[in-house]
Amino acid sequence: MLSKKTKYGLKALTYLASVDCKEPVQIAEIAKHENISQKFLESILLTLRRNGFLGSKKGKGGGYYLIREPKEILMTSVIRVLEGPIAMVPCVSLNFYEKCDDCPDENKCSVHKLMLQVRDSALEVYRNTTLADLIS
Amino acid sequence: MLSKKTKYGLKALTYLASVDCKEPVQIAEIAKHENISQKFLESILLTLRRNGFLGSKKGKGGGYYLIREPKEILMTSVIRVLEGPIAMVPCVSLNFYEKCDDCPDENKCSVHKLMLQVRDSALEVYRNTTLADLIS
DNA sequence: TATTACCCTATCGTTTTTGTAGATTTTAAC
DNA sequence: GTTAAAATCTACAAAAACGATAGGGTAATA
């Protein structure tokens, strides 16, 4: 299940991309437009800024704005920052690998085998989708 | 993230398929072989039985056994029974559809658009994988 | 001085995972 | 037959983890 954090983050990014001017947009405006709890969105936008997707400006006329072109923003990176691993089990994750504590041999594990395929298929989608593709 | 319930359920099914004889296998044996909490596994096997994947026999010499050929057991059905929806958001789920309470128009929603593709790609994998494919 | 992002913390609620305790059914030994 | 052992079945509950949200204060900027 996709967390609301990711969902809201994606919606916020899409909104910022659709506004297209580089003027800062206030948290309150995004929250209202997308029906998101403002306080929650606040923390989400912060992580997006810390991870190089957004810039921000304080004070009057301040807000958040995209610092990269929508076409340059891949879903792989957005998802990894907001949701974490793309893989459904850590033992098949490229960026968040962890060994299972059960499971003596990954290569013989049926779950591993299946989830490797699922990961690859999801990766295929995320790699071929940019923020620009999500704007209707 | 895949729940342990699903993970353990898949491992148990694979184990039962690999044993291949139709003799009942005890919960304790499966739990031990796959490093699974026996009590937890017990409830998982129960749901698999209730959903027509397994048969059981009580008493001495009892246990669980497959009642369908591994080749006939599709991952789509296993995942749906153990994990629930394959889709990452309810609004793109085929079997567990729910409307988002935010989101006035699904067709314009960026998350909807993205997750529809992710669902389809996962579905592609699950539909083309049977229990027999997971045995090494 | 007003406005806005920034930051930390606490809390509530849900889900997941595991454990406890016993009831029920079947087999097999006596 | 009676009994004991071996297993599944059932319900519940507790613990742990996680997700989502809210509160309140700080810092920067126009």
Side-chain angles (χ1 to χ4, degrees), chain A residues 14 134-136, chain B residues 103-113:
Chain A
T14 310
L134 297 188
I135 307 170
S136 48
Chain B
C103 221
D105 185 358
E106 281 181 4
N107 300 322
K108 288 179 185 166
C109 175
S110 56
V111 177
H112 185 86
K113 208 178 296 186

Side-chain angles (χ1 to χ4, degrees), chain B residues 78-98:
Chain B
V78 177
I79 295 291
R80 279 180 181 134
V81 161
L82 293 174
E83 188 76 5
I86 288 169
M88 294 186 77
V89 281
C91 71
V92 299
S93 175
L94 293 175
N95 291 252
F96 300 83
Y97 175 83
E98 265 180 63

Side-chain angles (χ1 to χ4, degrees), chain B residues 49-120:
Chain B
R49 196 212 55 170
R50 287 182 176 142
N51 285 92
F53 295 98
L54 299 177
S56 67
K57 198 182 163 190
K58 286 186 180 177
K60 196 166 190 177
Y64 281 96
Y65 51 91
L66 287 177
I67 55 178
R68 287 196 266 158
E69 287 300 312
K71 278 187 185 176
E72 308 302 324
I73 301 179
L74 278 173
M75 284 305 114
T76 39
S77 56
V78 177
I79 295 291
R80 279 180 181 134
V81 161
L82 293 174
E83 188 76 5
I86 288 169
M88 294 186 77
V89 281
C91 71
V92 299
S93 175
L94 293 175
N95 291 252
F96 300 83
Y97 175 83
E98 265 180 63
K99 194 182 177 310
C100 299
D101 33 355
D102 54 325
C103 221
D105 185 358
E106 281 181 4
N107 300 322
K108 288 179 185 166
C109 175
S110 56
V111 177
H112 185 86
K113 208 178 296 186
L114 179 63
M115 289 305 144
L116 210 54
Q117 296 181 64
V118 175
R119 182 208 65 186
D120 283 338

Side-chain angles (χ1 to χ4, degrees), chain B residues 33-45:
Chain B
H33 191 271
E34 301 292 338
N35 293 312
I36 303 173
S37 146
Q38 176 164 343
K39 252 335 195 176
F40 193 23
L41 180 60
E42 213 168 292
S43 71
I44 297 169
L45 295 179

Side-chain angles (χ1 to χ4, degrees), chain A residues 14-73:
Chain A
T14 310
Y15 183 68
L16 287 174
S18 73
V19 168
D20 84 355
C21 66
K22 293 295 182 199
E23 288 299 298
V25 179
Q26 295 156 28
I27 297 177
E29 182 183 332
I30 307 175
K32 195 175 178 187
H33 191 271
E34 301 293 338
N35 293 313
I36 302 172
S37 146
Q38 175 163 344
K39 227 38 180 133
F40 192 21
L41 181 60
E42 203 172 298
S43 70
I44 296 169
L45 295 177
L46 206 53
T47 42
L48 286 173
R49 196 212 57 173
R50 286 182 176 142
N51 286 91
F53 295 98
L54 299 177
S56 67
K57 201 181 162 189
K58 287 183 181 178
K60 195 167 190 175
Y64 281 98
Y65 50 91
L66 286 176
I67 55 178
R68 287 197 266 159
E69 287 300 312
K71 278 188 185 176
E72 308 302 324
I73 300 179

